[in-house]
């Protein structure tokens, strides 16, 4: 079970082996897991279709690997310490033995509701232990989970339920977030009124709000009350679907990234143990929400597969004050802490008086994920949280990659602030130029692509394989394209620059500009819109929307702006609300009718004079008007 590399030399040897004999390399790692039937073919792949299969013919259930397998040694070991939103309320903990029982009970309950292998189940839940139980119960019976972050609107939830044709929704009456309670049940009621595929809704009583249950609803506690504590794990093929997770791209609606059982299991466990250098007895804490890939891979699957003890936190970094993260680190003697740059930047702004009262001496590794970490935030994190003794692992990866791809491995690797560093064993990044040629040298910049599959690469986008091909495998023949630009320094370390497509990364959350524009365009006043990202001190990127309104500009702009903002909240969620909305009478377009986003991006970034070549613009006066009123 120990997959940990323990020196940089060992890393180099592992890396060499993983590129020269990739199959032998991954076979050795996969062999440490429990397979009901051993696989026949380690890897078959080609990127054009694309068609990637790992451990073909192998039969397994991931929950046997993260629960049953550990029971002989770890039945009484804590799997999760749960810390509530409100520090004055009592926390909870659950051992591996208890988690196993709870998962089995719910698995039996789900079966009773007629859910089985291959059915899609949507999860819209808070950060509580039961959410992990729910995820694992799906995996145990072979149902495919699709978790939707509980900050998305009912419309966004309905879109995702419908795309996956989910049979069941698991939710809670509500959740606690900072000083607020959020009603989830009403959101789900609204959503499922548009979702014919949903047969049942299982509701966890989380905030005691006493909602009325409808015909399709059943309480979680009632569903599990008389269930057996044993449930045989469904036999799954290595390439059977484990989950779908929706994520935004440059065009259209969010797409359902698909991960499969065997490869995802192998890679999340391997990357977890190596990047965080997790050792027996350590306490790990990832602050992400289970609704994002980081929560899937590094709250649920990676740590549990490794037999780790983790913290799961219901609240937010600034409630009741900006010392909350550090207080929780002290309370549970956290050894590895993993968060996002946006959180670091906001806590940095609050001042050291919120850090100093707490004992952070147990920390060994501190991590960052979700967006590029700027030098100032890196230094603050390293100095004040890591006390200049903990390596900062700047982990670059994506929903589509399933696990961490480029990162330091604990304190083994050399560190360079703002550089994610070297690829993990098994990962073969390349930088491509505009023509799609690999740039071989160091000290260069290009499009970040992968030239060889790793076990947890996405297999398809749910229900639309062509889209998967077009988005990821068609830009550069024979490569997986990440959508990111990157630099390689003279030592071969990677520094991620950011997205080169129309994806904006707001507080580590991905949104497609087209998706936000579509939401704006549903507003009664909006005729057309263009959304771009701009640098934001805390969020990394902010959302700037230029909106053409019916009847031109008026005096009651404020009311219109507010109404546009509400439309975005309704269609996507509050997390996607534009930071700036500028009403305009027209957008800069080329003669062929294409919006010149380059100009809008510059305006959003604060540029007022220098726009390069604008001779192809249909009506240059539009730009002047936008600049005059720019926010
Ligand atoms: C960005 C999150 C720089 C990147 C795990 C990527 C990063 C997108 C880093 C994926 C990092 C993630 N440094 N940029 N360490 N980590 N990104 O799918 O642009 O939510 O393509 O996965 O976040 O976001 P996603």
């Amino acid at each position: 079970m120990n997959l940990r590399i323990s020196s940089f030399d060992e890393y180099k040897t592992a890396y060499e082996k993983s590129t020269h004999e990739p199959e032998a390399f991954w076979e050795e790692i996969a062999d440490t897991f429990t397979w009901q039937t051993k696989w026949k073919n380690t890897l078959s792949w080609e990127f054009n279709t694309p068609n990637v299969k790992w451990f073909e013919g192998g039969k397994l259930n991931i929950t046997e690997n993260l629960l049953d397998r550990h029971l002989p040694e770890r039945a009484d070991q804590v799997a999760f310490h749960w810390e509530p939103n409100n520090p004055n309320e009592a926390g909870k903990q659950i051992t591996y033995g208890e988690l196993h029982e709870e998962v089995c009970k719910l698995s039996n309950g789900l079966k009773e509701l007629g859910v089985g292998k291959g059915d899609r189940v949507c999860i819209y839940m808070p950060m509580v232990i039961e959410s992990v139980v729910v995820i694992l119960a799906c995996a145990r019976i072979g149902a495919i989970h699709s978790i939707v972050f509980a900050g998305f609107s009912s419309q966004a939830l309905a879109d995702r339920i419908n795309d996956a044709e989910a049979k069941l929704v698991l939710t809670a009456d509500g959740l606690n977030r900072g000083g607020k309670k959020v009603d989830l049940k009403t959101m789900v009621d609204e959503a499922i009124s548009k979702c014919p595929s949903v047969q049942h809704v299982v509701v966890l009583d989380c905030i005691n709000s006493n909602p009325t249950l409808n015909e399709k609803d059943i309480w979680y506690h009632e569903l599990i009350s008389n269930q057996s504590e044993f449930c045989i794990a469904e036999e799954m093929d290595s390439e059977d679907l484990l989950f779908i997770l929706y994520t935004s791209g440059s065009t259209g609606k969010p797409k359902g990234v698909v991960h499969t059982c065997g490869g995802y299991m192998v890679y999340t466990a391997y990357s977890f143990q190596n990047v965080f250098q997790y050792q027996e007895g350590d306490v790990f804490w990832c602050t992400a929400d289970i609704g994002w890939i980081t929560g899937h891979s590094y709250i649920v699957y990676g740590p549990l597969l490794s037999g780790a003890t983790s913290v799961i936190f219901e609240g937010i970094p600034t409630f009741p004050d900006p010392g909350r993260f550090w207080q929780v680190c002290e309370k549970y003697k956290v050894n590895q802490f993993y968060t996002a740059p946006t959180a670091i930047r906001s806590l940095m702004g609050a001042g050291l008086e919120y850090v100093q009262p707490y004992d952070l001496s147990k920390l060994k590794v501190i991590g960052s994920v979700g967006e590029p970490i700027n030098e100032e935030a890196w230094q603050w994190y390293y100095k004040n949280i890591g006390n200049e003794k903990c390596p900062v692992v700047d982990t670059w990866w994506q929903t589509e990659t399933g696990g961490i791809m480029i990162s330091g491995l604990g304190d083994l690797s050399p560190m360079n602030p703002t550089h994610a560093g070297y690829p993990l064993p098994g990962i073969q990044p390349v930088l491509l130029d505009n023509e799609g040629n690999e740039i071989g040298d160091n000290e260069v910049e290009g499009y970040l692509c992968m030239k060889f599959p790793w076990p947890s690469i996405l297999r398809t986008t749910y229900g639309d394989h062509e889209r998967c091909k077009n988005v990821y495998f068609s830009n550069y023949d024979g490569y997986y394209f990440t959508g990111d630009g990157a630099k390689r320094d003279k030592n071969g370390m990677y520094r991620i620059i950011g997205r080169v497509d129309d994806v904006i990364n707001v507080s580590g959350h991905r949104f497609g500009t087209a998706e936000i524009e579509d939401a704006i365009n549903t507003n009664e006043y909006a005729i057309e819109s263009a959304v771009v990202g701009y640098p934001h001190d805390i969020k990394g990127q902010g959302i700037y929307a230029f909106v053409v309104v019916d009847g031109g500009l008026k005096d009651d702009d404020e009311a219109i702006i507010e109404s546009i903002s509400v439309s975005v909240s309704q269609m996507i969620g509050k997390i996607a609300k534009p930071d700036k909305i500028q009403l305009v009478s027209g957008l800069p377009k080329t003669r062929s009718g294409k919006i010149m986003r380059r100009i809008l991006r510059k305006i959003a970034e604060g540029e007022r004079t220098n726009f390069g070549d604008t001779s192809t613009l249909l009506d240059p006066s539009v730009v002047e008007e936008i600049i005059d009123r720019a926010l």
Side-chain angles (χ1 to χ4, degrees):
M1 222 188 303
N2 182 3
L3 305 173
R4 199 159 47 84
I5 289 168
S6 51
S7 70
F8 196 61
D9 278 341
E10 245 185 75
Y11 158 76
K12 285 192 247 174
T13 313
Y15 193 81
E16 276 294 303
K17 180 167 181 186
S18 77
T19 45
H20 291 112
E21 301 168 79
E23 301 194 5
F25 176 81
W26 288 113
E27 278 162 17
E28 220 175 277
I29 293 165
D31 253 334
T32 65
F33 292 86
T34 303
W35 297 80
Q36 296 164 346
T37 307
K38 188 162 171 160
W39 65 91
K40 296 190 180 59
N41 188 18
T42 305
L43 170 66
S44 60
W45 71 287
E46 50 89 14
F47 274 173
N48 291 325
T49 321
N51 183 12
V52 180
K53 291 193 165 82
W54 281 94
F55 314 115
E56 224 177 328
K59 304 286 179 196
L60 77 154
N61 187 291
I62 199 166
T63 69
E64 284 188 329
N65 281 279
L66 48 76
L67 293 172
D68 308 54
R69 178 169 68 133
H70 299 315
L71 294 184
E73 300 150 43
R74 302 186 192 278
D76 297 327
Q77 182 196 313
V78 172
F80 289 105
H81 295 286
W82 176 74
E83 175 65 20
N85 174 59
N86 180 346
N88 300 323
E89 284 170 18
K92 282 186 207 155
Q93 53 184 46
I94 189 163
T95 64
Y96 274 88
E98 291 161 347
L99 188 57
H100 180 261
E101 281 179 15
E102 292 302 310
V103 169
C104 285
K105 283 200 272 182
L106 183 63
S107 300
N108 288 324
L110 296 183
K111 283 201 216 166
E112 209 173 273
L113 293 178
V115 180
K117 186 169 176 173
D119 288 336
R120 275 80 57 212
V121 170
C122 178
I123 300 174
Y124 186 69
M125 289 192 61
M127 287 291 289
V128 291
I129 289 173
E130 287 83 351
S131 297
V132 178
V133 174
V134 160
I135 293 168
L136 299 182
C138 289
R140 192 148 186 104
I141 64 171
I144 301 161
H145 59 75
S146 162
I147 309 181
V148 177
F149 172 59
F152 279 115
S153 69
S154 63
Q155 184 58 48
L157 175 62
D159 291 344
R160 286 157 178 77
I161 293 174
N162 284 332
D163 188 79
E165 294 177 283
K167 197 169 174 179
L168 180 85
V169 177
L170 287 135
T171 189
D173 57 342
L175 59 77
N176 300 298
R177 189 174 281 151
K180 286 184 280 196
K181 285 195 190 301
V182 181
D183 175 1
L184 293 182
K185 180 67 174 51
T186 311
M187 296 283 245
V188 172
D189 288 346
E190 265 173 50
I192 66 157
S193 68
K194 304 171 202 163
C195 302
S197 61
V198 175
Q199 296 174 2
H200 299 284
V201 178
V202 178
V203 187
L204 178 76
D205 182 3
C206 194
I207 57 165
N208 220 340
S209 65
N210 223 348
T212 23
L213 294 204
N214 305 320
E215 203 185 321
K216 290 182 177 175
D217 301 341
I218 170 161
W219 283 114
Y220 180 101
H221 56 265
E222 285 175 9
L223 181 66
I224 61 167
S225 65
N226 285 319
Q227 303 294 347
S228 153
E229 290 160 7
F230 297 95
C231 174
I232 294 183
E234 187 73 34
E235 181 185 274
M236 304 295 284
D237 192 276
S238 177
E239 283 299 332
D240 279 340
L241 272 63
L242 175 64
F243 67 84
I244 305 169
L245 181 56
Y246 287 85
T247 190
S248 301
S250 17
T251 54
K253 283 199 180 296
K255 48 195 176 295
V257 166
V258 166
H259 285 290
T260 56
C261 298
Y264 181 81
M265 169 178 80
V266 169
Y267 196 75
T268 50
Y270 182 76
S271 53
F272 170 73
Q273 291 178 38
N274 282 296
V275 169
F276 299 103
Q277 289 289 300
Y278 183 89
Q279 298 184 38
E280 196 64 44
D282 284 348
V283 177
F284 174 78
W285 181 21
C286 164
T287 70
D289 190 283
I290 48 151
W292 309 113
I293 191 68
T294 307
H296 285 60
S297 301
Y298 301 109
I299 293 177
V300 183
Y301 288 107
L304 291 177
L305 285 163
S306 308
T309 296
S310 304
V311 174
I312 180 166
F313 176 47
E314 185 186 32
I316 57 168
T318 47
F319 179 82
D321 67 51
R324 184 68 165 130
F325 270 4
W326 322 126
Q327 182 231 333
V328 175
C329 281
E330 176 184 278
K331 178 170 176 186
Y332 295 102
K333 302 187 169 55
V334 170
N335 301 110
Q336 290 91 5
F337 176 72
Y338 190 30
T339 197
T342 185
I344 299 169
R345 287 190 296 262
S346 80
L347 300 181
M348 178 168 92
L352 285 179
E353 64 267 35
Y354 290 104
V355 182
Q356 276 149 356
Y358 303 107
D359 176 6
L360 301 177
S361 64
K362 293 292 188 293
L363 287 174
K364 295 196 275 194
V365 175
I366 53 179
S368 167
V369 61
E371 49 171 323
I373 179 165
N374 51 310
E375 175 95 29
E376 198 192 351
W378 194 101
Q379 296 293 357
W380 186 87
Y381 196 33
Y382 180 67
K383 187 160 173 244
N384 300 299
I385 305 307
N387 197 19
E388 296 186 12
K389 69 179 177 47
C390 302
V392 174
V393 289
D394 177 359
T395 65
W396 174 84
W397 59 297
Q398 311 177 292
T399 305
E400 296 85 345
T401 69
I404 297 167
M405 302 283 280
I406 302 180
S407 168
L409 307 183
D411 60 354
L412 311 184
S413 318
M415 243 184 345
N416 187 356
T418 75
H419 287 64
Y422 294 106
L424 264 69
I427 307 308
Q428 299 189 35
V430 291
L431 297 179
L432 302 187
D433 64 18
N434 279 328
E435 277 74 53
N437 302 311
E438 282 185 29
I439 317 173
D441 305 333
N442 286 345
E443 301 204 85
V444 290
E445 181 175 335
Y447 300 112
L448 181 63
C449 292
M450 299 292 151
K451 69 169 176 191
F452 196 84
W454 59 101
S456 60
I457 184 174
L458 88 160
R459 299 302 197 268
T460 188
T461 45
Y462 192 75
D464 194 351
H465 195 62
E466 198 58 24
R467 188 162 179 206
C468 173
K469 176 184 164 152
N470 290 338
V471 174
Y472 304 105
F473 297 93
S474 299
N475 297 51
Y476 304 103
D477 224 16
Y479 298 91
Y480 164 80
F481 175 47
T482 64
D484 281 315
K487 283 184 181 165
R488 197 164 47 220
D489 74 5
K490 60 180 189 306
N491 303 313
M493 291 178 101
Y494 286 86
R495 174 184 189 153
I496 310 301
I497 300 164
R499 302 291 303 197
V500 294
D501 53 8
D502 288 321
V503 169
I504 5 190
N505 193 326
V506 186
S507 302
H509 303 154
R510 269 167 77 168
F511 297 104
T513 52
E515 181 189 0
I516 303 174
E517 288 161 10
D518 287 347
I520 292 174
N521 298 347
T522 62
N523 183 275
E524 55 180 319
Y525 302 105
I527 295 179
E528 195 184 10
S529 58
V531 165
V532 297
Y534 70 96
H536 187 288
D537 285 349
I538 305 284
K539 299 178 173 185
Q541 277 189 299
I543 303 174
Y544 195 131
F546 299 88
V547 187
V548 183
V549 282
D550 204 0
L553 306 178
K554 296 192 202 71
D555 293 336
D556 58 348
D557 280 1
E558 280 311 314
I560 296 177
I561 288 171
E562 179 53 28
S563 136
I564 290 171
S565 181
V566 169
S567 295
V568 177
S569 302
Q570 282 171 351
M571 297 304 289
I572 307 176
K574 288 201 181 96
I575 47 173
K577 272 210 301 208
D579 299 273
K580 296 181 179 180
I581 297 177
Q582 181 181 351
L583 305 186
V584 297
S585 55
L587 294 168
K589 289 190 179 171
T590 62
R591 292 197 178 92
S592 58
K594 229 176 126 175
I595 297 172
M596 283 188 83
R597 288 171 185 278
R598 179 177 61 81
I599 294 180
L600 295 175
R601 247 179 247 127
K602 283 198 158 177
I603 296 174
E605 283 163 11
E607 178 67 61
R608 296 291 178 261
T609 47
N610 189 6
F611 293 98
D613 182 12
T614 52
S615 60
T616 53
L617 275 181
L618 185 64
D619 177 8
S621 72
V622 163
V623 176
E624 280 155 36
E625 181 217 285
I626 297 178
I627 294 172
D628 278 349
R629 300 172 51 112
L631 303 167

